[in-house]
Amino acid sequence: MFPVVEERRDYITLALPPLQQQQQQQQKTTTTTSSSSSLLTTIRSWRRRWKQLPRLLRVVLGMVVTAAVVGLIYLTTHTPPSEPPSHLNALSPMENNLTPPPLPPLPPHLPGEREKETQAEESLRRDDHKHQPLLSGQEGADQIVPPPGLPQKRSGRQEAVVAAMKHAWKGYKTYAWGHDHLKPVSRSRNDWLRLGLTLVDALDTLWIMDLKEEFSEAREWISTQLNFNLNQDVNLFETTIRVLGGLLSTYHLTKEQLFLDKAVDLGDRLVAGFNSGSGVPFADVNLYSRRASKPRWGPDSSTSEVTTLQLEFRDLSRVTGKPIYEEKASFVSEHIHKLPKTDGLVPIFINAQTGQWRSHSTITLGARGDSYYEYLLKQWIQTGRTLDYLRDDYNQSVTGMEKHLASHTHPSRLLFFGELHGSTKNFVNKMDELTCYLPGTLALGTHYGMPKHHMDLAQQLMYTCVQTWLRQPTHLAPEITYFNIQPSPNNEDFYVKANDAHYLLRPETIESLWYLYHLTGNTTYQDWGWQLFQGIERYCRVDNGYTSIGNVRSATDTKQKDKMESFFLGETLKYLYLLFMEDQSAFSVDKWVFNTEAHPLPIYNN
Ligand code: DMJ
């Protein structure tokens, strides 16, 4: 067990000593008696004066008072509501209300859920527990049937999300076409990878939302302008999850060879990133020279980055029949499987030349650690549940999370997962918004037969994540939240430091809401998602798109950051759309596995 920075105390009982209680009671009684006797005297004197007035005057006064009361009642019940901001006009008054109704706590288990878990566990125990041929090996891509029933009739909430997507797209098209990111406030653009990042990340969202015109103009740009022959260092992880993942998923959805050709061209360049002393990839790769290098900021690669390439590279191998991509990426997972861990938990840095941990680095489920855990489970699912070491590592890591990172707040006992810092591995009571992908992953795991109590963890953490949004005046979550595990002066569960108060249009909480709704059918998750979406609409929407903000702690001073991240279109709006979809069968988690950037890829049977 590691030492903790803050002592964990669950309950403090505030009981007054009996004597003090009695004294207070007596004081209360004396005060009440004297104030009620003076009230009686006043009433009697007014009654005397009233009776001394002439009878006619008393009748007239009575009528005037009655008319005033009736008028007051009419006015208070017939005042029209104040105007909502113009961009919310399309929504109904009920939907425009930003004040959250009290949210019912979710039952630990919902109807039907236990049966589902039992069925999944039983199917896992069977000898032939492999997934039935959703796809078989390399010929798989041709067998994928697009999600049934698309386009579907949209719900009202989906229409609102589609309107948001159109607004974001219009701003991007007008001011940043073909560039990585839109700067909606200054009506300009920003380049990072020089790959038309927003356009590629948004492709499958446009297709899923059936935005034909927008999809076809994006397709045209991919066909005529997207060029990977660039003398440009790109981050291997970001380019893989956003661009390679986006192209592959669009290929699977549309069956258009164009997207696969582009994915292969990119994959052939990115695969050079694995050329290191250990096979663990470097952080960066030059797309033209195909030379890999360590990041400018330090000697090591991030653990989450080197372990979050495998779904995409494996898929590329399966659809092309070229094993090289999968071999390179799978080797990294196998290598990391053999490295020492803290009850399944891993440090956030690894050296690409030696293949060893930077052992004094932090353990966290947030930045640089997060998707390592996510891809353990998702790779196992992608391969038809055949690579059991991944499932075992995943299960062990959840045990480690519970043992070393789980804690509860004071006073509301909200579950959160903290971090272990430095070589001493001291517990620190902070959690990134990024960690809010975890409820979704835990829920997905229980659907595939992981221990039932993982679902309890998922539901509890989901509630905490939603609270980090709804307890801010903007209804938007900060990048980092600190949790009080002892009583604090203001008796609040958590607080936010000024430097951590930004919201970057991130999707993780919404992503988890989709998984929990998809797997339980509990519409409270949809209602929560709707409230978060309204925070985005009210505080991030600007004339020419959506902007990240620097301060979620103030509804009047949000400090717009003038940047629309590509994942807002690739992930946030896609998960909102899926969350509000009435027929959840189109993107069933039995058929699709979503990469960490929300790009759906098919599940294979091996
Ligand atoms: C996305 O690029 C991916 O979800 C990644 O795994 C980490 N987070 C960002 C969005 O917040």
Side-chain angles (χ1 to χ4, degrees):
M1 192 58 192
F2 297 104
V4 291
V5 165
E6 295 198 49
E7 186 192 349
R8 300 182 198 199
R9 279 159 62 191
D10 291 333
Y11 295 106
I12 299 277
T13 314
L14 288 171
L16 288 171
L19 179 62
Q20 201 181 337
Q21 274 178 358
Q22 280 170 19
Q23 284 170 345
Q24 287 194 347
Q25 191 59 44
Q26 274 169 9
Q27 271 173 13
K28 240 180 68 203
T29 320
T30 322
T31 319
T32 317
T33 320
S34 80
S35 61
S36 54
S37 84
S38 87
L39 184 68
L40 271 176
T41 320
T42 315
I43 292 171
R44 278 196 202 111
S45 119
W46 275 102
R47 255 177 71 187
R48 250 197 325 276
R49 284 185 207 171
W50 175 255
K51 281 188 177 161
Q52 285 165 2
L53 290 174
R55 189 182 167 80
L56 182 64
L57 186 57
R58 275 187 275 159
V59 172
V60 172
L61 279 174
M63 284 166 68
V64 169
V65 171
T66 313
V69 170
V70 170
L72 203 63
I73 291 171
Y74 177 85
L75 276 177
T76 47
T77 52
H78 288 77
T79 310
S82 56
E83 280 288 294
S86 59
H87 69 268
L88 290 178
N89 279 349
L91 312 178
S92 74
M94 187 274 284
E95 289 168 337
N96 273 334
N97 180 13
L98 266 180
T99 312
L103 299 171
L106 289 161
H109 284 284
L110 301 161
E113 189 185 310
R114 282 183 191 282
E115 291 129 61
K116 247 195 260 169
E117 281 173 351
T118 320
Q119 281 165 12
E121 280 188 341
E122 271 167 15
S123 83
L124 265 181
R125 273 195 293 275
R126 285 204 308 269
D127 280 342
D128 61 339
H129 69 259
K130 312 279 190 295
H131 249 179
Q132 285 314 299
L134 300 168
L135 281 180
S136 57
Q138 292 157 6
E139 75 276 19
D142 295 336
Q143 297 176 6
I144 299 167
V145 181
L150 279 176
Q152 299 183 332
K153 194 176 163 294
R154 297 177 188 138
S155 68
R157 287 175 174 183
Q158 278 186 300
E159 291 291 358
V161 178
V162 171
M165 182 73 183
K166 282 181 159 179
H167 181 69
W169 186 258
K170 190 172 167 212
Y172 173 75
K173 186 179 163 187
T174 311
Y175 298 109
W177 188 244
H179 293 271
D180 284 341
H181 290 118
L182 167 70
K183 297 178 77 176
V185 179
S186 57
R187 293 189 249 171
S188 56
R189 70 270 177 132
N190 149 278
D191 277 308
W192 171 38
L193 308 175
R194 292 170 62 209
L195 296 175
L197 198 55
T198 296
L199 189 150
V200 185
D201 220 357
L203 275 174
D204 56 7
T205 308
L206 293 172
W207 193 86
I208 288 167
M209 290 183 180
D210 195 35
L211 292 175
K212 291 195 177 72
E213 199 184 314
E214 290 83 354
F215 182 81
S216 109
E217 62 203 15
R219 186 206 171 280
E220 182 62 17
W221 186 87
I222 301 271
S223 160
T224 58
Q225 307 289 314
L226 180 57
N227 171 26
F228 295 122
N229 204 24
L230 278 182
N231 185 11
Q232 167 82 24
D233 282 347
V234 296
N235 177 283
L236 173 63
F237 158 78
E238 298 288 3
T239 312
T240 298
I241 64 167
R242 300 189 199 207
V243 185
L244 185 60
L247 290 168
L248 284 169
S249 121
T250 308
Y251 166 68
H252 286 298
L253 292 168
T254 63
K255 300 292 182 346
E256 269 208 64
Q257 188 64 29
L258 165 69
F259 299 109
L260 181 57
D261 291 346
K262 290 290 177 187
V264 173
D265 183 11
L266 179 60
D268 284 341
R269 296 165 193 274
L270 292 180
V271 79
F274 294 90
N275 294 337
S276 70
S278 69
V280 171
F282 283 110
D284 293 342
V285 59
N286 185 289
L287 289 178
Y288 177 74
S289 68
R290 306 184 187 204
R291 218 171 283 130
S293 58
K294 58 184 173 7
R296 261 164 262 129
W297 45 263
D300 298 328
S301 302
S302 300
T303 304
S304 67
E305 294 195 358
V306 302
T307 54
T308 309
L309 308 161
Q310 287 69 19
L311 290 184
E312 299 81 358
F313 277 83
R314 177 174 295 110
D315 192 72
L316 190 57
S317 278
R318 302 297 176 101
V319 293
T320 58
K322 285 166 68 180
I324 180 77
Y325 315 108
E326 180 169 4
E327 281 169 9
K328 294 273 187 191
S330 291
F331 174 84
V332 182
S333 294
E334 286 154 19
H335 172 78
I336 286 183
H337 167 65
K338 293 179 203 140
L339 292 182
K341 305 182 185 65
T342 304
D343 291 317
L345 304 177
V346 292
I348 56 171
F349 289 110
I350 187 165
N351 189 286
Q353 286 299 16
T354 65
Q356 299 304 309
W357 300 126
R358 195 202 291 176
S359 61
H360 56 272
S361 57
T362 292
I363 288 177
T364 173
L365 307 180
R368 302 188 192 284
D370 47 6
S371 45
Y372 160 71
Y373 306 98
E374 177 187 349
Y375 269 36
L376 287 176
L377 178 71
K378 288 185 173 175
Q379 281 198 74
W380 179 66
I381 293 170
Q382 182 193 32
T383 52
R385 297 181 271 169
T386 53
L387 301 177
D388 286 348
Y389 80 91
L390 293 164
R391 177 201 58 194
D392 297 342
D393 284 0
Y394 171 77
N395 263 325
Q396 207 198 352
S397 75
V398 179
T399 306
M401 292 172 197
E402 291 178 271
K403 185 172 168 192
H404 300 291
L405 307 181
S407 187
H408 291 90
T409 65
H410 185 94
S412 311
R413 286 195 58 72
L414 302 176
L415 173 70
F416 71 98
F417 288 99
E419 302 180 346
L420 304 178
H421 281 202
S423 48
T424 54
K425 298 288 180 284
N426 279 340
F427 180 83
V428 178
N429 55 323
K430 78 183 255 282
M431 188 170 86
D432 294 350
E433 199 283 333
L434 288 168
T435 304
C436 291
Y437 79 94
L438 189 59
T441 299
L442 288 167
L444 179 64
T446 60
H447 177 73
Y448 277 99
M450 300 302 162
K452 283 176 191 162
H453 76 278
H454 289 193
M455 192 58 166
D456 295 338
L457 292 175
Q459 291 180 336
Q460 284 186 50
L461 185 62
M462 186 78 265
Y463 184 77
T464 305
C465 287
V466 169
Q467 293 306 304
T468 63
W469 291 62
L470 294 185
R471 290 194 194 179
Q472 299 300 334
T474 51
H475 284 195
L476 299 171
E479 183 74 354
I480 299 171
T481 301
Y482 283 80
F483 293 86
N484 291 318
I485 54 183
Q486 296 178 9
S488 64
N490 53 13
N491 210 32
E492 284 179 358
D493 288 293
F494 49 76
Y495 59 97
V496 178
K497 296 184 180 177
N499 283 344
D500 305 329
H502 44 289
Y503 171 62
L504 304 183
L505 300 169
R506 286 201 190 279
E508 287 73 16
T509 301
I510 294 165
E511 165 186 354
S512 285
L513 286 171
W514 174 67
Y515 277 104
L516 281 158
Y517 173 65
H518 183 79
L519 294 169
T520 67
N522 187 325
T523 54
T524 299
Y525 298 118
Q526 290 182 313
D527 296 342
W528 287 350
W530 183 246
Q531 290 180 357
L532 309 193
F533 177 53
Q534 288 184 74
I536 293 173
E537 284 290 288
R538 186 156 292 188
Y539 296 104
C540 300
R541 184 171 167 132
V542 289
D543 281 350
N544 297 296
Y546 288 81
T547 180
S548 306
I549 62 165
N551 183 21
V552 299
R553 299 188 303 175
S554 164
T556 50
D557 182 24
T558 55
K559 303 193 193 309
Q560 294 175 343
K561 288 175 77 75
D562 193 17
K563 187 168 180 201
M564 185 172 79
E565 298 282 350
S566 78
F567 50 70
F568 180 63
L569 290 82
E571 291 196 75
T572 311
L573 292 177
K574 184 189 288 146
Y575 280 125
L576 280 165
Y577 187 79
L578 294 178
L579 175 65
F580 301 138
M581 198 178 247
E582 269 154 29
D583 179 2
Q584 286 286 313
S585 65
F587 285 96
S588 162
V589 292
D590 291 329
K591 296 183 194 136
W592 299 93
V593 61
F594 284 74
N595 88 339
T596 194
E597 188 78 2
H599 298 304
L601 298 173
I603 293 172
Y604 295 90
N605 67 359
N606 60 26

